[in-house]
Every structure is written in structure tokens, then in C-alpha cells.
Amino acid sequence: METNDAIKTTEEVLISIVISLYNEEDAVFGSWLGLKNELTKLKGLCFELIWVNDGSNDQTQQIIDEKVIKNTTHNIDHCTIEFSKNFGHEAAMIAGIDHAKGKAIICMDADGQHPPSELPKMIASFLSGTDYVLMERTRREDNGFLKELCSALFYKTINKLSSVKFRHSASDFFLVSRQVAENLKSHYREQNRFIRGYIQSIGFCCEVFPFEAPGRVNGKSHYSYVQLMKLALGTIFAFSNKPLRISILFSVLFIVFTLLFGAYTLYMFVYGNSPPSGYTSIILLLTFSFSMLFLTITILSLYFEKAIQEMRHRPIYIIKRIKFN
């Protein structure tokens, strides 16, 4: 049975689709045409497209206003949210979820790497009773060996440290039901966000579909290796307290080591014929001591940074303009 044929409803169901954009002037209209082509095929459904402009400094917003919104269809409405500045991809997704009205909400990017052709089976899964749908990337055409290696190392590390076991290739292309969305809106408001991780830790009924991510047709990735590293570290410290426990373990081991080393040095001084070389002993002890000290301070500083961010209660995003069509 075709997926489109499987989507049958007794009443019109509203589905919200959140599209995150940052400097996507070359891709946004093509993204709209791809969505329009797929969504107009789905009978018995109506759609709300939420275009979240994450502080773009190119012509992205102008193209949305002049080409996308005016080129609409009978079962598709538009909402545009424009941020006052760039707050990041995670903030764009949560802003879309905050303002979505649909019974289900789909998050996707406008860069062409989240194919609209996957939407029918995601929606069919939701209509059959699934609370959230994860799209698991099996291949990404423009990912190099280094990015794939870094991704594999990140997931291996976070799965060792966290009680939540994350799917290696889960992407920011997903569907959540209204119930899951309300939980995200009410209880997951940290400054340091990892929405695909929250979804996997929240429970409920899940279905996972594989998909191949094509290479970007226009533009380039906005994530540098430094930004990816910051995201990885932020995620680890958001989902695990084990680094704190590891620093405590290191501290205890160091205390035991120094006590044993001090006892050995004292014993050799009193009873031995040749006590340890003072210069060598001091240099080794200081080197090891400061290494352990700075490692512990680094781990504590990262946790303090996250705690201070949450204590400030600053907004996750600021909306410059919101328009419904």
C-alpha cells in the first residue's frame, strides 16, 4: 500500500511543520516547492508551515515574504517568525514548537537535506498512534570522513556517560505529537538544549525510519568544527553528571597517591641508604598535581557555566516579528 493511501482520516487534521532557516536565501524557495509538491498530495490533512528565520543577514526573510507566503495553496497556511538576532538552530526549533497549533509537529531544515518525500510516512505513523517519529540518517552525501568519525566518537562517549542511550544517526528531522510537544514546552526550557536528546529521553511510543540525506544543493553548512565541539560538550554536560564523579575519583586517587608517595619518601629518608632524588620527585609530583588540579577545575567550570546560564533565566529567543497568513 502506498503511504499516501494509508493516510485516511475522518476529520481534517492539522499538522505543523517547523522549518529552521539561517542565511538560506538560495535554498528557501526550493524548499517551499518541495514541500508544496508533497503536501498537496495528502488528502484529509491541512498544514501549517512555520518558517523560523534565525537572524539571517541575507535575503532569506524577503524571499519568504515575497515568494513563499504569496504562493500558497488551499490546505497550507503559513506563519513566519523572525528573530531579533541569531539564537541558534535549537532555539529556532523550540520557537516553532512553542507557536505550533497542529496535532503533530514536524521539525526540519530548509537546506534540502531533510527530504519532504519522507513526510507522508512520518504522518502515517503518527496517525496510527505513534507519539514521536525519529528520522535516522543512514548516509549523508556531503559528510567527510572526519565529521563521521567525530560523530561516532561523540555518540560513543555520550552513551557511555549518560543513562539515556541515544541513537547514533538520529537527526533534527523528527515528528512529535501534541502531548510530547507540551512536555517540551513546559519542562525542557534549559538554555543548553539538545532537542533530539530530550525527545529520546522523554518516553512515549516511538518509531524510527531510515533516510538518506542528499548533499546540499545550495549554500554550505553553518556548523564549524568548533561549533560542533561546543554542541557536543554542552550535550555531555547536560545529560550526564559522570564527569563530576570522575573528577572526584581522580581527586581521591591523587590523595591516595600523594599519601603513599609521602610515606615512601619519609621511610627512605629515615631507613633507606639513598632517599629519592629531591629534584626529580618534586618535578614529578608538581606536574601530576597540577594536571589533576586543572582537569578538575575545567570540569567544574563547565558545570558552573551551565548552572549560571540557567540561573540568569534569560530568554531562549527573542522574536522581532511574527506574522500569520
Side-chain angles (χ1 to χ4, degrees):
M1 179 183 294
E2 294 291 332
T3 305
N4 290 2
D5 296 334
I7 299 178
K8 293 181 179 179
T9 59
T10 56
E11 59 177 332
E12 225 176 36
V13 176
L14 176 64
I15 305 292
S16 299
I17 301 178
V18 178
I19 306 104
S20 306
L21 307 127
Y22 177 65
N23 291 345
E24 297 289 359
E25 61 181 5
D26 295 327
V28 60
F29 189 66
S31 177
W32 156 239
L33 293 179
L35 285 166
K36 180 180 176 183
N37 180 59
E38 290 295 332
L39 300 182
T40 51
K41 299 175 185 176
L42 304 179
K43 308 303 179 184
L45 298 172
C46 53
F47 297 92
E48 171 192 46
L49 301 189
I50 303 175
W51 302 88
V52 185
N53 180 6
D54 184 22
S56 299
N57 50 30
D58 61 0
Q59 300 300 311
T60 297
Q61 189 62 48
Q62 184 178 344
I63 293 171
I64 294 173
D65 293 338
E66 296 179 359
K67 293 185 177 181
V68 173
I69 292 179
K70 294 180 180 179
N71 186 2
T72 189
T73 65
H74 70 283
N75 68 329
I76 301 176
D77 291 324
H78 295 275
C79 169
T80 60
I81 298 174
E82 186 179 359
F83 285 175
S84 61
K85 69 179 187 69
N86 178 246
F87 284 91
H89 183 239
E90 296 280 326
M93 286 192 291
I94 199 65
I97 293 172
D98 286 346
H99 291 84
K101 302 173 184 175
K103 290 188 176 180
I105 302 163
I106 297 171
C107 286
M108 62 187 301
D109 295 340
D111 56 11
Q113 295 186 316
H114 295 163
S117 58
E118 302 292 334
L119 296 177
K121 65 183 179 184
M122 298 170 70
I123 296 169
S125 177
F126 162 71
L127 293 175
S128 68
T130 302
D131 291 298
Y132 67 93
V133 177
L134 290 175
M135 298 303 293
E136 193 169 62
R137 188 176 56 241
T138 57
R139 187 171 69 93
R140 181 170 170 176
E141 290 183 1
D142 60 353
N143 250 17
F145 171 76
L146 184 56
K147 274 194 174 182
E148 291 291 344
L149 177 63
C150 291
S151 176
L153 288 173
F154 162 69
Y155 279 103
K156 188 172 182 179
T157 302
I158 187 65
N159 283 332
K160 287 286 186 184
L161 295 175
S162 173
S163 58
V164 179
K165 301 306 175 188
F166 299 100
R167 300 189 71 92
H168 178 185
S169 300
S171 66
D172 287 325
F173 186 20
F174 57 81
L175 176 150
V176 294
S177 67
R178 169 55 54 186
Q179 186 177 15
V180 175
E182 290 300 326
N183 276 278
L184 291 174
K185 290 167 64 174
S186 301
H187 306 301
Y188 292 84
R189 307 300 294 185
E190 294 98 326
Q191 292 288 325
N192 180 42
R193 292 166 306 281
F194 188 56
I195 294 180
R196 80 182 83 155
Y198 294 157
I199 293 171
Q200 293 179 69
S201 68
I202 206 170
F204 296 105
C205 177
C206 169
E207 188 164 7
V208 180
F209 292 117
F211 80 102
E212 289 190 5
R216 289 180 64 108
V217 178
N218 298 295
K220 60 181 181 179
S221 174
H222 301 296
Y223 271 104
S224 66
Y225 282 104
V226 173
Q227 289 173 314
L228 290 172
M229 180 61 71
K230 287 175 65 177
L231 176 64
L233 287 174
T235 303
I236 289 171
F237 287 100
F239 281 90
S240 177
N241 291 325
K242 283 187 179 178
L244 279 175
R245 296 176 189 145
I246 290 171
S247 68
I248 294 172
L249 176 62
F250 283 161
S251 299
V252 171
L253 291 175
F254 177 68
I255 290 170
V256 172
F257 168 78
T258 51
L259 289 174
L260 291 175
F261 187 80
Y264 170 73
T265 303
L266 183 62
Y267 175 83
M268 293 301 294
F269 177 78
V270 176
Y271 300 104
N273 296 323
S274 56
S277 169
Y279 178 80
T280 303
S281 303
I282 291 172
I283 292 299
L284 287 175
L285 183 61
L286 288 177
T287 301
F288 188 67
S289 300
F290 280 102
S291 297
M292 296 300 300
L293 176 63
F294 288 133
L295 175 63
T296 303
I297 290 174
T298 299
I299 293 173
L300 292 174
S301 297
L302 289 169
Y303 276 103
F304 287 152
E305 177 192 10
K306 305 307 176 188
I308 290 170
Q309 285 178 343
E310 301 305 325
M311 289 168 61
R312 288 171 177 158
H313 294 295
R314 291 178 180 171
I316 297 173
Y317 57 85
I318 298 174
I319 294 177
K320 177 181 177 182
R321 185 186 70 157
I322 183 168
K323 181 180 179 181
F324 295 93
N325 183 40

